[in-house]
Amino acid sequence: MLKVRVIPTLLWKNFGLVKGVGFDSWRRVGPVLPTIKVYNSREVDELILVDITASIEGHIPDHESVSDFSHECFVPLTVGGGIFNLSQITSLLRAGADKVSLNSALFENPGLVNDAAGQFGVQCVIVSIDAHRTERGSYTCFSHSGTRNTNREPLAWAKEMEDRGAGEILLTSVEHDGTMNGYDLELIERVASRVNIPVIASGGAGNYQDMIDAVTKAGAAAVAAASIFHFTEMTPLGAKDAMHEAGIPIRRRFEM
Amino acid sequence: MKVALINYGMGNLGSVRRALEDLGANVIIAEHPLMLLDANRLVLPGVGSFGAGMERLRNGGWIEALYQQVIEHHKPILGICLGMQMLSGLSEENGLHEGLNFIPGKVLRLDKLGCSLRIPHVGWNEVNYREGMGLFNKIPQAMDFYFVHSYAVVVEDPADVSATTSYGTTVTSAISRHNIFGTQFHPEKSSKSGKQILKNFLDYTPC
């Protein structure tokens, strides 16, 4: 049986890591490489590293830096931000990323998912969806780090991405992100029940119970979180212990 | 301890290298078969398709060199993922392809092995090993390791199976015969338990 994963999300801006609220008001939280080393020592299941300026400024994450990061990462590493074509994916995978996370480019070129999955395998392709809840209670996908409304509906979009070959969906609630008030369970539940691929819950985790709820109530296959690990005493190991207590299958701890 | 990490162009070697270096090994990235000569350990990593991997081994002159080092000189080798699959004799991935045949067996797609779950098998899953398998020294039963694969090895001699994993069917997750070891999972992406596997490989002494 596959284990439910706990995945810290690292948002990379210029030379360091940041964290914001609702995709805005970014705070510096530290340097990248030492953070990766710390998370490795704390037995996280995966890491997601997203360059949040990349798509807006029109570049991809620097592959020399990605190479340095990946060499220190002894769990699977996903890299995202500004990826618009296959050759950029090739260069990031060569630099040691295990998967890439695609988002903004797909609204103009959804076939990139087919191409990437065909060339590198579905396991390399994470489609990231930043969902914004409208006043009427429906949802719409935003691109470019939450700055552009694409007017695409996340459920149908997630399904289309699955059909095109996405291996996983990283589903972030723009409103919940950084608030630590809990995940948008309704959003996660709706998407997770629509697709057969794993959905990674993201945006809003404020305590361990939020993570448990994302899995048991909303059907997430993994939980991603940032603020809770940056700004509180709570840790990925603590999260996994709490999830284990709640009967969720998690990866066992091992000390050499 | 000198470890030759075979660089035949299939996949990134960075994290395997760093993990081995952390364990105190002197790692050389072997770009040419002659670089295997003075190594104490060989590691054959690999991500990608079986046919492409074997073609690169053949074109690079690696096959003869590996045969000489592994079969004639009994040098310990660890094949990881595709590297493990290529230790077997034959693969059905996109047509039939001959492997190194160091451990006789063949490579089949998971659904042909009876797996009805999602393919590829990706994620952390439990590994159960046969007692006395040195590669799993100090590792508890049912420890989790990281898998990414669509095909799996079926060995001819059940004695060559050192560990299995349940994923809709019983998947061979590690094989070994004398100085030859293979893991279907990625020790270099399996955090500390993976590092223990690599340590055990470095510590292996033939009896």
Side-chain angles (χ1 to χ4, degrees):
Chain A
M1 181 185 16
L2 293 174
K3 300 305 167 72
V4 172
R5 296 159 289 160
V6 175
I7 310 174
T9 314
L10 306 178
L11 302 178
W12 181 21
K13 186 179 183 187
N14 303 323
F15 296 101
L17 295 174
V18 296
K19 184 58 202 163
V21 176
F23 286 42
D24 201 356
S25 48
W26 304 103
R27 281 166 66 181
R28 283 171 203 271
V29 293
V32 187
L33 200 55
T35 307
I36 288 177
K37 287 184 179 176
V38 167
Y39 278 135
N40 264 278
S41 72
R42 291 188 183 165
E43 289 269 52
V44 300
D45 299 318
E46 279 185 40
L47 282 174
I48 296 176
L49 177 68
V50 180
D51 183 337
I52 58 165
T53 60
S55 66
I56 299 169
E57 295 174 1
H59 61 84
I60 61 163
D62 171 48
H63 48 84
E64 277 183 29
S65 302
V66 169
S67 176
D68 290 345
F69 303 153
S70 75
H71 294 177
E72 295 299 333
C73 190
F74 302 111
V75 293
L77 174 68
T78 297
V79 177
I83 302 169
F84 275 77
N85 62 46
L86 213 51
S87 70
Q88 294 168 334
I89 295 173
T90 308
S91 101
L92 290 169
L93 295 176
R94 278 213 187 117
D98 296 284
K99 319 179 194 183
V100 290
S101 167
L102 308 176
N103 186 338
S104 301
L106 302 178
F107 296 99
E108 303 218 327
N109 178 20
L112 182 59
V113 172
N114 305 65
D115 295 345
Q119 182 140 352
F120 305 107
V122 299
Q123 76 282 350
C124 288
V125 185
I126 291 189
V127 171
S128 161
I129 297 177
D130 294 331
H132 171 78
R133 191 183 174 103
T134 66
E135 284 170 6
R136 285 168 296 138
S138 60
Y139 290 93
T140 175
C141 299
F142 270 58
S143 69
H144 297 82
S145 290
T147 58
R148 293 191 203 167
N149 187 352
T150 67
N151 294 311
R152 298 295 299 246
E153 197 279 314
L155 274 75
W157 183 243
K159 184 67 190 152
E160 178 181 345
M161 292 297 109
E162 176 184 28
D163 293 343
R164 287 179 179 276
E168 296 177 75
I169 301 285
L170 171 62
L171 182 62
T172 305
S173 156
V174 175
E175 282 72 36
H176 287 240
D177 183 69
T179 63
M180 293 199 270
N181 288 330
Y183 294 103
D184 186 337
L185 295 180
E186 188 185 337
L187 169 70
I188 297 161
E189 199 276 322
R190 282 159 76 169
V191 174
S193 61
R194 176 71 78 90
V195 297
N196 291 314
I197 51 177
V199 172
I200 305 167
S202 168
N207 57 51
Y208 300 149
Q209 188 59 42
D210 292 337
M211 297 179 169
I212 293 167
D213 290 345
V215 176
T216 58
K217 293 187 180 161
V223 289
S227 300
I228 182 176
F229 300 141
H230 288 314
F231 304 132
T232 79
E233 299 292 309
M234 287 176 273
T235 64
L237 268 179
K240 288 163 70 165
D241 288 344
M243 290 163 82
H244 176 70
E245 289 287 305
I248 296 170
I250 51 113
R251 174 166 80 89
R252 287 169 68 195
R253 190 183 305 197
F254 177 78
E255 290 300 331
M256 280 182 84
Chain B
M1 174 71 66
K2 203 166 186 178
V3 181
L5 194 50
I6 299 169
N7 186 16
Y8 62 114
M10 299 293 279
N12 191 280
L13 309 179
S15 42
V16 192
R17 178 191 194 156
R18 285 288 299 121
L20 289 165
E21 283 173 351
D22 269 4
L23 293 165
N26 171 18
V27 181
I28 48 168
I29 303 289
E31 313 277 356
H32 188 277
L34 286 176
M35 295 174 80
L36 303 184
L37 292 182
D38 62 345
N40 313 97
R41 295 281 183 279
L42 313 180
V43 175
L44 181 62
V47 171
S49 75
F50 192 101
M54 284 306 298
E55 192 182 326
R56 281 172 181 266
L57 287 183
R58 198 171 300 116
N59 294 342
W62 293 101
I63 295 183
E64 302 73 26
L66 283 169
Y67 186 85
Q68 202 173 47
Q69 296 299 316
V70 174
I71 304 298
E72 291 173 6
H73 299 310
H74 309 291
K75 214 169 257 186
I77 185 171
L78 174 65
I80 298 172
C81 195
L82 173 64
M84 156 169 156
Q85 296 179 1
M86 293 193 303
L87 297 175
S88 72
L90 189 73
S91 170
E92 290 191 354
E93 182 175 357
N94 304 323
L96 289 179
H97 303 278
E98 270 183 40
L100 293 164
N101 204 24
F102 291 170
I103 297 182
K106 58 182 176 179
V107 181
L108 301 172
R109 208 176 126 90
L110 288 168
D111 48 7
K112 275 195 101 172
L113 294 169
C115 169
S116 55
L117 302 178
R118 187 187 306 124
I119 297 173
H121 170 212
V122 185
W124 294 89
N125 204 342
E126 293 176 7
V127 169
N128 290 291
Y129 58 88
R130 279 204 294 134
E131 290 301 333
M133 288 292 134
L135 201 59
F136 291 89
N137 194 19
K138 295 188 180 155
I139 290 177
Q141 288 289 1
M143 184 49 67
D144 298 292
F145 291 87
Y146 191 75
F147 289 83
V148 184
H149 65 121
S150 300
Y151 289 77
V153 176
V154 180
V155 291
E156 279 174 21
D157 183 352
D160 295 333
V161 175
S162 46
T164 59
T165 290
S166 172
Y167 186 70
T169 183
T170 301
V171 174
T172 302
S173 43
I175 55 176
S176 66
R177 179 185 280 197
H178 310 303
N179 54 318
I180 304 164
F181 303 90
T183 63
Q184 183 58 66
F185 53 84
H186 286 269
E188 78 282 12
K189 288 287 164 186
S190 295
S191 194
K192 292 172 191 170
S193 44
K195 216 162 178 182
Q196 182 69 47
I197 295 273
L198 295 174
K199 182 174 191 307
N200 292 340
F201 174 65
L202 297 180
D203 291 346
Y204 163 80
T205 42
C207 43

